[in-house]
Amino acid sequence: EKPSPVAWKSLILVLGSVCAFSALINTAGLIFATIAQIILSALGGYDFRWKEAVISAALMSVMVWAIFDVGLGLPFKLFQWSF
């Protein structure tokens, strides 16, 4: 059986979203890095919709803030202007 072709767009966008997150977490903050990762990885899907990606990014950002900052008290910089 012939192997299926590689979905290069999806592969590059999902891996790129992880790289973008790691590059942005210290410079732009945890919230913006999370939003960028969710939207970039959603762009790699077959059925991309902006409205769903933005809602997912907003909800995930609230969850990340609640878990890591409020719940665990980890010292992440949340925004670029945070200390």
Side-chain angles (χ1 to χ4, degrees):
E1 184 175 321
K2 190 175 180 180
S4 62
V6 176
W8 288 106
K9 177 188 169 191
S10 299
L11 179 68
I12 290 170
L13 282 170
V14 170
L15 290 175
S17 73
V18 174
C19 293
F21 181 84
S22 66
L24 290 172
I25 192 162
N26 288 327
T27 57
L30 181 65
I31 302 299
F32 184 73
T34 302
I35 291 169
Q37 183 179 20
I38 298 297
I39 291 178
L40 282 174
S41 61
L43 278 168
Y46 294 110
D47 188 24
F48 176 76
R49 294 186 179 123
W50 275 105
K51 184 178 178 182
E52 292 174 1
V54 169
I55 291 171
S56 295
L59 291 175
M60 187 63 73
S61 295
V62 170
M63 292 293 294
V64 163
W65 167 75
I67 291 169
F68 293 111
D69 191 51
V70 175
L72 296 173
L74 296 176
F76 283 113
K77 184 168 78 167
L78 295 178
F79 299 99
Q80 182 178 9
W81 55 86
S82 300
F83 299 106

